[in-house]
Amino acid sequence: MQKHQTEEVIFGAFSLIFWTFTLIPLIKYVCILLSADDNGEGGTFALYSLLCRHAKLSLLPNQQAADEELSAYKYGPSTQAIASSPLKRFLEKHRRLRTALLVVVLFGACMVIGDGVLTPAISVLSAVSGLQVADSKLTKGELVLLACVILVGLFALQHCGTHKVAFMFAPIVIIWLVSILSIGLYNIIHWNPRIVRALSPHYIIKFFSQTGKDGWISLGGVLLSITGTEAMFADLGHFTALSIRLAFALAIYPCLVVQYMGQAAFLSKHPNSMSNSFYDSIPDRVFWPVCVIATLAAIVGSQAVITATFSIVKQCHALGCFPRVKVVHTSKHIYGQIYIPEINWILMVLTLAVTIGFQDTTFIGNAYGLACMTVMFITTFLMALVIIFVWQKSVILAACFLLFFWFIEGVYLSAALMKVPQGGWAPLVLSAIFMLIMYIWHYGTRKKYNFDLHNKVSLKWLLGLGPSLGIVRVPGIGLIYSELATGVPAIFSHFVTNLPAFHKVLVFVCVKSVPVPYVSPEERFLIGRVCPRPYRMYRCIVRYGYKDIQRDDGSFENKLIQSIAEFIQMEAVEPQFSSSESPSLDGRMAVMSINPVQSSLSLMVSEQEILSIDESIQSSRSLTLQSLRSAYDDENPQIRRRHVRFQLPPNPGMDPLVKEELMDLIQAKEAGVAYIMGHSYVKARRTSSFLKKLAIDIGYSFLRKNCRGPAVALNIPHISLIEVGMIYYV
């Protein structure tokens, strides 16, 4: 563009920025996409979640009809009155198309993770580059070193949580917006007021007529003016759509337009300042304050994208597409603020590698622009499907939306792809690596689940053993964890055939994700009976949304016992939930809500402060177990807060069988709770192809060994855990 530094070309470049900024962030995102929220949540996963609920597009294996009764599931227009469209039936019929849709969504997620690497690098490096304008003696190496120090500090503070530093964000952003607005107005009035004419799209035609191919290639730089727009939509869950619309339309949009207009006015008189137009256009008297606030604003912007990356990884894990990682809830009061240590340090290493490797904002900008435009391109496609399936508008309207915005974004994307050799390869490589990790994990998890599904224990065999299961039933509750939402897992047959005794009360627990952002605590537990009443065998399905956090508050056991007790008593009142009439099948499931104030069906709960270790282990007869538990309690003093006891309420009219079952449940709880999990080893069959063996035996095995164990992820106390080794040949 060095040979096209005329006033008309500069006016045309500003006109291009203005209309791009108006059409994509303002009209597409603020006016249209913010209306396509999922219970207040935004981003590609929110759009995918909406689609999965209004059309059968989900690939999550253990979904049930009961999930559709969740209050969050019914968010949006009802689909019952509308006949199924041919496009909807076509997508639901072909599994490969549904898989392709998930791959597209995950690719978009990988590009957002790439944003999490590139945004801090380009933001901080651009901000500190202003120092070189003020002091030409500073070398590029010294600027890169300063940027790396700031980046290390930024990532090192992530464990504190956003809420501890967020009180500074609003003043920084407000001062930043006022600064760029003031500088923009000054430059317009002082250098070239005629820049106002460039608001006419006529200058865009002049721009391309004079620059030709060079103008098209320069679009890769123009699109940097709208980067961060996708983060605004992804962060919808932290704000309301109305607040974002007001802030963008009344503050951000006018301030940025005036700033770009001011830069164009300055460049029309100083075309040689093209490479560093922002800092060169700042008046000398306010240079240093603006330089400082620019650096702080870059840190705020980077913080927002890093936090969004944590949320994306959490959502990928909920879809079964990312290895288990440690998720830390950083705020007791603000829901959804999380920190993932492993991802934080990986992002830091990658960001430093990009900063040191490129050392130039032009190369990083090429990479950043490609990543952002790819996410926007995918979002437009998903939004078109939402218009058809969720909003139930005509296919013609969706096609017009898709073609209009795809044409604009396609032109920018083609220009960005031309920059692949000059740094644009970075997000493609990062996305390919994360996609490979996600695909291998998803593939291995699905194969393992299908093995469990095809090797379930026959209920006829269990019923043939009788209520004692052919072994001694000892006091206590056994919680058997499995991914199966129906049936008895193969792990259970290992116990029954190899151990002489088992717990008197058995609960098959399935912790699963459902395609909604949050599941309310009242709807979390789904309780049912596995075998007839004398067997004392139940099923509990614990449901979480893709943005829910599984907190370790120590109350899971008590909530589970209360839920089962509620189910037992409700079953006596409403016999349709009983499985005694059809003992060969699983009983019907019922949602059990735990509220402080319940009907007379509830168990009476008494809480006692634990004063000594002896009281907390008085039910344990083994001295060895007592010493182990006391050592565990010493290491975990926060768990030793309350000892909860359950009692039957005085109810003379209670059914004797129900009373007996409730007493068994209470006594079993007093005897202790054990957690049983399978310690699985997944291997490919000998007849498998080379690629499958590579994916399962090397890739999936490596990821399982180096991610968090399922017991840790589910907050299961180590002292009460029993693991059973199993080999899965998939």
Side-chain angles (χ1 to χ4, degrees):
M1 292 293 290
Q2 296 297 320
K3 58 184 177 182
H4 302 292
Q5 294 181 346
T6 64
E7 183 176 282
E8 279 198 341
V9 170
I10 291 169
F11 277 31
F14 165 70
S15 186
L16 202 56
I17 289 173
F18 170 74
W19 284 104
T20 304
F21 203 72
T22 302
L23 289 173
I24 295 181
L26 184 64
I27 295 177
K28 177 189 160 185
Y29 275 88
V30 174
C31 296
I32 300 174
L33 251 78
L34 287 183
S35 301
D37 65 308
D38 179 16
N39 292 272
E41 296 297 324
T44 52
F45 272 98
L47 296 177
Y48 180 67
S49 172
L50 277 174
L51 290 171
C52 287
R53 299 208 303 274
H54 288 80
K56 296 177 182 177
L57 304 177
S58 177
L59 290 174
L60 290 173
N62 51 9
Q63 298 304 291
Q64 298 169 285
D67 298 337
E68 298 178 15
E69 300 301 319
L70 289 167
S71 56
Y73 204 98
K74 301 170 185 175
Y75 188 82
S78 174
T79 56
Q80 294 176 355
I82 306 296
S84 180
S85 67
L87 179 61
K88 181 179 175 182
R89 290 196 298 269
F90 181 72
L91 285 173
E92 290 176 348
K93 184 180 178 182
H94 294 83
R95 182 178 177 82
R96 288 186 178 180
L97 290 176
R98 288 184 284 141
T99 305
L101 180 64
L102 177 61
V103 168
V104 167
V105 172
L106 291 178
F107 184 67
C110 289
M111 281 294 183
V112 174
I113 295 172
D115 275 357
V117 173
L118 297 168
T119 301
I122 190 171
S123 300
V124 175
L125 197 56
S126 298
V128 299
S129 65
L131 297 174
Q132 202 168 29
V133 176
D135 186 358
S136 56
K137 294 178 183 178
L138 279 173
T139 64
K140 184 178 284 187
E142 290 169 337
L143 285 178
V144 170
L145 180 63
L146 178 60
C148 289
V149 170
I150 294 172
L151 287 170
V152 170
L154 175 64
F155 283 102
L157 289 173
Q158 290 301 314
H159 73 279
C160 298
T162 306
H163 66 286
K164 292 188 179 178
V165 289
F167 69 94
M168 297 171 58
F169 287 1
I172 289 171
V173 172
I174 291 169
I175 295 169
W176 168 245
L177 290 174
V178 170
S179 301
I180 62 174
L181 178 68
S182 306
I183 294 167
L185 287 171
Y186 169 82
N187 286 328
I188 292 167
I189 297 166
H190 188 263
W191 295 113
N192 195 347
R194 289 186 299 111
I195 188 66
V196 178
R197 297 178 187 174
L199 294 176
S200 168
H202 175 65
Y203 280 90
I204 297 176
I205 300 170
K206 286 186 176 182
F207 173 82
F208 284 113
S209 65
Q210 292 190 28
T211 58
K213 185 181 177 182
D214 290 337
W216 170 62
I217 292 174
S218 71
L219 291 177
V222 174
L223 69 85
L224 291 177
S225 65
I226 58 171
T227 52
T229 309
E230 72 288 345
M232 175 181 69
F233 180 49
D235 286 336
L236 178 59
H238 297 279
F239 309 95
T240 62
L242 179 62
S243 64
I244 293 178
R245 284 189 171 118
L246 290 173
F248 189 88
L250 300 180
I252 297 167
Y253 178 77
C255 288
L256 287 175
V257 167
V258 169
Q259 167 58 30
Y260 285 125
M261 192 184 289
Q263 281 189 58
F266 176 81
L267 285 173
S268 66
K269 302 300 181 184
H270 305 83
N272 294 327
S273 296
M274 193 79 72
S275 60
N276 218 342
S277 59
F278 174 73
Y279 282 112
D280 286 345
S281 67
I282 300 172
D284 293 338
R285 285 171 294 180
V286 294
F287 179 84
W288 285 109
V290 173
C291 186
V292 171
I293 200 69
T295 307
L296 293 175
I299 292 172
V300 171
S302 302
Q303 172 67 39
V305 176
I306 292 168
T307 306
T309 306
F310 293 153
S311 296
I312 286 287
V313 171
K314 168 72 176 65
Q315 291 166 20
C316 288
H317 169 62
L319 279 175
C321 297
F322 204 89
R324 289 179 294 268
V325 288
K326 182 179 182 180
V327 179
V328 180
H329 199 76
T330 57
S331 174
K332 294 179 181 178
H333 310 292
I334 306 171
Y335 198 82
Q337 287 193 1
I338 60 172
Y339 164 68
I340 303 176
E342 298 96 327
I343 300 300
N344 183 61
W345 302 124
I346 289 171
L347 285 180
M348 187 187 79
V349 170
L350 291 174
T351 302
L352 292 176
V354 166
T355 307
I356 296 168
F358 288 126
Q359 297 189 8
D360 189 342
T361 53
T362 304
F363 288 109
I364 302 175
N366 293 338
Y368 186 39
L370 179 59
C372 292
M373 191 47 67
T374 305
V375 176
M376 291 180 187
F377 201 75
I378 290 170
T379 303
T380 301
F381 170 66
L382 293 175
M383 187 61 211
L385 294 179
V386 168
I387 290 172
I388 300 170
F389 298 144
V390 182
W391 290 0
Q392 299 163 2
K393 304 296 182 183
S394 68
V395 176
I396 297 172
L397 181 66
C400 291
F401 171 84
L402 184 69
L403 293 174
F404 178 74
F405 285 107
W406 259 13
F407 173 74
I408 298 170
E409 292 164 356
V411 172
Y412 279 108
L413 189 60
S414 64
L417 287 170
M418 292 295 293
K419 303 289 183 72
V420 167
Q422 291 89 38
W425 55 267
L428 296 176
V429 170
L430 286 172
S431 297
I433 293 170
F434 280 106
M435 274 293 288
L436 186 65
I437 291 171
M438 288 182 183
Y439 178 76
I440 289 174
W441 183 262
H442 182 70
Y443 179 74
T445 304
R446 288 298 301 275
K447 288 293 181 185
K448 180 177 176 293
Y449 178 83
N450 288 333
F451 181 92
D452 274 332
L453 200 61
H454 294 116
N455 290 275
K456 291 191 292 188
V457 176
S458 167
L459 282 178
K460 289 184 179 178
W461 177 69
L462 279 179
L463 293 167
L465 295 175
S468 68
L469 300 176
I471 54 177
V472 178
R473 301 290 290 270
V474 296
I477 297 177
L479 303 182
I480 303 167
Y481 278 77
S482 166
E483 293 177 6
L484 294 177
T486 58
V488 177
I491 179 181
F492 182 65
S493 63
H494 282 246
F495 275 99
V496 175
T497 53
N498 293 299
L499 290 179
F502 212 64
H503 301 89
K504 193 168 187 177
V505 175
L506 298 177
V507 184
F508 294 96
V509 181
C510 170
V511 179
K512 72 172 190 176
S513 294
V514 287
V516 295
Y518 302 104
V519 177
S520 66
E522 294 78 21
E523 298 177 304
R524 195 171 307 286
F525 290 94
L526 198 60
I527 305 293
R529 196 186 288 280
V530 175
C531 287
R533 179 173 287 165
Y535 284 73
R536 304 295 192 253
M537 293 168 68
Y538 311 95
R539 181 181 310 287
C540 173
I541 296 174
V542 190
R543 301 177 293 186
Y544 288 95
Y546 58 80
K547 296 203 78 173
D548 268 324
I549 308 296
Q550 299 181 29
R551 297 190 182 186
D552 183 15
D553 54 8
S555 63
F556 173 75
E557 288 179 14
N558 300 324
K559 289 177 181 177
L560 180 62
I561 301 304
Q562 285 181 281
S563 298
I564 294 172
E566 285 292 322
F567 174 79
I568 292 168
Q569 294 170 89
M570 189 192 73
E571 188 185 46
V573 180
E574 302 177 35
Q576 69 267 29
F577 288 101
S578 175
S579 64
S580 57
E581 295 176 6
S582 53
S584 61
L585 301 171
D586 271 343
R588 288 182 60 185
M589 309 290 287
V591 176
M592 292 292 120
S593 61
I594 303 301
N595 296 314
V597 180
Q598 290 264 1
S599 65
S600 60
L601 297 177
S602 304
L603 290 180
M604 293 172 62
V605 180
S606 60
E607 295 182 353
Q608 299 173 338
E609 293 290 333
I610 295 177
L611 301 175
S612 66
I613 294 168
D614 292 330
E615 289 182 42
S616 68
I617 54 172
Q618 59 188 344
S619 61
S620 303
R621 297 177 182 176
S622 166
L623 292 174
T624 307
L625 186 57
Q626 286 185 24
S627 63
L628 281 172
R629 283 193 175 177
S630 62
Y632 177 76
D633 285 344
D634 285 339
E635 293 174 6
N636 300 272
Q638 72 277 10
I639 296 173
R640 297 192 305 149
R641 290 178 183 172
R642 289 186 176 90
H643 182 61
V644 177
R645 288 183 176 277
F646 295 100
Q647 296 173 338
L648 277 179
N651 186 356
M654 184 181 288
D655 187 319
L657 291 175
V658 172
K659 187 173 183 179
E660 181 188 354
E661 189 172 6
L662 288 173
M663 284 303 299
D664 284 346
L665 183 67
I666 293 170
Q667 289 169 6
K669 172 66 174 70
E670 289 297 314
V673 179
Y675 297 78
I676 299 104
M677 297 192 76
H679 189 83
S680 53
Y681 300 89
V682 183
K683 295 184 178 181
R685 291 195 184 100
R686 291 182 180 178
T687 56
S688 301
S689 65
F690 172 75
L691 281 177
K692 185 175 179 180
K693 287 180 178 178
L694 189 67
I696 297 294
D697 294 345
I698 297 177
Y700 187 65
S701 176
F702 174 80
L703 291 174
R704 279 180 63 86
K705 287 176 182 176
N706 290 278
C707 73
R708 293 177 73 79
V712 180
L714 294 169
N715 301 314
I716 293 174
H718 186 69
I719 193 70
S720 306
L721 176 64
I722 302 171
E723 289 190 291
V724 185
M726 281 190 70
I727 298 179
Y728 289 72
Y729 288 103
V730 299

